[in-house]
Amino acid sequence: MIELDDQVLKKLQMIELEMLIEVDRICKENNISYTIIGGTLLGAVRHGGFIPWDDDADVAMLRPEYEKFCRVCEKELDKDRFYFQNMDITEGYRWGYAKLRRKGTVFLREKQEHMPYEQGVFLDVFPIDGTPDNRCLRIIHDIRCFCVRKILWSAVGKEFSKHFFERLLYGFLYRIPEKTIKGWYRGLILTKNANTTKVVRTLAYPAHGKLRGYYRRWFAQTSPIEFEGYIFEGVKDYKGWLTYEFGDYMKIPPEEKRKAHPVTEIKLTDISF
């Protein structure tokens, strides 16, 4: 595993900032609503930019906005600098969210080196989907999400799970045709009241907190927020979201909990913005 020094980490962050600027440009030119999320939103509030040890950037969009963004990227993405990946257009890509990547870079995640697609420095683009407001139905939906997520993960689990029987099980799951699995994933997207449920979630990630998801208003109501000297869209009620996600979010974690993605190969490039 490669340990990133401060100079390399800063250059990596500036490439991710370049991609954030591109996402913001596309969204504003096409009236697409988005928000920075996760550690990116936390960094904006607590540090005015990247968390000093963070090595990725995240944005999120409600499902209709996400689908529009994916379509628009096909025509309007600056393909001289970036490329876009999701399950619909990238062979072997098994994640239920998209990645914008920087051309001319390499960022190989540990245990994903064997995945059959190009892996440059990335920005995650998460679709946010409705989940049933009825708690019992939401639990059932969550179980379905868990099963599909594990099947998608089998491409990694069959190689790197710690226990033999886990690798054996993942190897069996991996034999399910990719087209079938992706159909099951799309089946998780609600067709009834999908855009009006009070609770939403990322289908491809574990459901969070007591809600098993998030309040829709956190993603539907955004406002400008400064990040590394640029203005992006963030959760309007960022205090509510950050407290729900991180607890005492202004408290700096101890050094041993400042985690970054483990990488085995990295190549960066000069940026232009």
Side-chain angles (χ1 to χ4, degrees), residues 26 41 67 74 103 111 121 162 176 193 220 236 244:
I26 291 172
L41 181 60
E67 297 291 353
E74 294 181 17
K103 284 188 172 180
K111 301 180 181 179
V121 174
K162 293 181 180 180
I176 299 172
N193 302 323
K236 185 175 182 179
Y244 179 76

Side-chain angles (χ1 to χ4, degrees), residues 232-259:
F232 300 107
E233 290 299 308
V235 176
K236 185 175 182 179
D237 178 21
Y238 65 83
K239 292 182 180 179
W241 187 89
L242 288 172
T243 299
Y244 179 76
E245 184 77 357
F246 298 108
D248 184 5
Y249 60 88
M250 293 302 290
K251 183 179 180 180
I252 304 294
E255 190 168 349
E256 64 270 15
K257 292 188 177 182
R258 301 174 190 177
K259 296 181 180 180

Side-chain angles (χ1 to χ4, degrees), residues 1-2 4 9 12 53-56 107 109 257-263:
M1 187 177 74
I2 298 173
L4 308 182
L9 183 57
L12 173 65
W53 56 89
D54 202 5
D55 64 353
D56 71 349
F107 192 83
R109 295 273 301 274
K257 292 188 177 182
R258 301 174 190 177
K259 296 181 180 180
H261 292 99
V263 295

Side-chain angles (χ1 to χ4, degrees), residues 111-180:
K111 301 180 181 179
Q112 295 187 24
E113 300 93 337
H114 66 293
M115 298 300 282
Y117 47 80
E118 191 174 357
Q119 297 185 61
V121 174
F122 64 90
L123 174 150
D124 285 325
V125 184
F126 293 103
I128 305 298
D129 285 285
T131 190
D133 287 325
N134 178 280
R135 184 167 179 80
C136 291
L137 294 178
R138 197 184 315 152
I139 291 172
I140 294 171
H141 187 249
D142 185 30
I143 293 170
R144 292 175 60 208
C145 290
F146 171 83
C147 293
V148 172
R149 185 171 70 250
K150 290 300 182 182
I151 297 171
L152 290 169
W153 176 253
S154 64
V156 176
K158 71 184 180 67
E159 301 288 341
F160 297 105
S161 287
K162 293 181 180 180
H163 304 293
F164 170 76
F165 287 108
E166 285 186 4
R167 294 195 300 273
L168 197 66
L169 175 59
Y170 278 126
F172 173 76
L173 295 176
Y174 182 71
R175 298 179 67 179
I176 299 172
E178 191 172 309
K179 183 178 180 180
T180 300

